[in-house]
Amino acid sequence: MNKSQGSHEHSQGHANPVDLDHLHPSIASSTLTMKKRKRIALIAHDHRKRDLVDWAKFNLETLEKHELLGTGTTGSMLAKELRLPVHTFLSGPLGGDQQIGAAIAQNEIDMMIFFWDPLQAQPHDVDVKALLRISVVYNIPLACNRSSADFLISSELMDSEYSRYLVDYSKRYRSI
């Protein structure tokens, strides 16, 4: 049995309308099933890249079971240090954050580890905010620091399929 809140069975990991009429639209209107092999976005701001590389090396045994994606420099650093394939997008400030966001919206990313720098203003802060917002809209697991990343990567859900709820926000606002 799938270890999710909804435990709904769906094929191919696509958004499927499900019988969720008993749930309020603000809870769920459909689900997406993440496969056992997760597609994990790994992103870090400049002053956090070494932190992410250190975390990834520590979790190499788990990460090598999954598909890794990253923005420009971070993805390249991880591929070199981990000796694993990492699909790289553009650098974050040059459009990589938007590419990751689009991949989340297209169900091409299942979870995100984003070590952002809370003490440094970024020239692309609006892109960072949009990326964090889209990860919440599509209800993907998100870690922004090492402790949260440790909890996510060590979850028993990492090694199983998981159906995550999606909210139809147009229904949510009509129901208020």
Side-chain angles (χ1 to χ4, degrees), residues 25 29 136-139 166-174:
S29 55
V136 171
V137 167
Y138 286 92
N139 194 27
L166 292 180
V167 173
D168 180 339
Y169 284 93
S170 65
K171 286 183 183 176
R172 169 183 267 187
Y173 293 117
R174 282 196 307 261

Side-chain angles (χ1 to χ4, degrees), residues 37-166:
R37 185 170 189 257
K38 307 295 186 286
R39 297 162 299 180
I40 305 170
L42 300 166
I43 306 167
H45 285 154
D46 288 345
H47 291 100
R48 302 294 314 278
K49 289 186 190 318
R50 294 298 334 154
D51 298 330
L52 183 62
V53 168
D54 182 66
W55 176 86
K57 283 181 171 181
F58 183 81
N59 290 288
L60 178 61
E61 190 175 308
T62 301
L63 290 173
E64 66 189 1
K65 299 175 192 172
H66 301 282
E67 182 180 345
L68 307 179
L69 306 95
T71 50
T73 307
T74 305
S76 298
M77 282 179 70
L78 288 165
K80 180 180 176 187
E81 296 281 339
L82 303 177
R83 295 188 173 110
L84 292 175
V86 178
H87 173 83
T88 54
F89 293 94
L90 296 172
S91 171
L94 300 177
D97 292 336
Q98 287 100 341
Q99 288 178 309
I100 295 273
I104 291 168
Q106 294 296 317
N107 190 37
E108 296 169 359
I109 291 177
D110 297 312
M111 63 184 292
M112 183 167 60
I113 310 295
F114 185 2
F115 283 16
W116 59 277
D117 189 340
L119 301 179
Q120 181 93 21
Q122 302 294 324
H124 62 296
D125 273 339
V126 293
D127 300 334
V128 171
K129 184 176 180 181
L131 181 57
L132 295 172
R133 184 186 69 78
I134 206 75
S135 66
V136 171
V137 167
Y138 286 92
N139 194 27
I140 67 164
L142 168 66
C144 294
N145 59 46
R146 189 174 187 130
S147 296
S148 298
D150 287 342
F151 270 81
L152 279 182
I153 202 86
S154 62
S155 168
E156 65 183 36
L157 299 174
M158 281 298 295
D159 294 321
S160 63
E161 285 191 352
Y162 176 80
S163 293
R164 70 182 194 267
Y165 288 152
L166 292 180

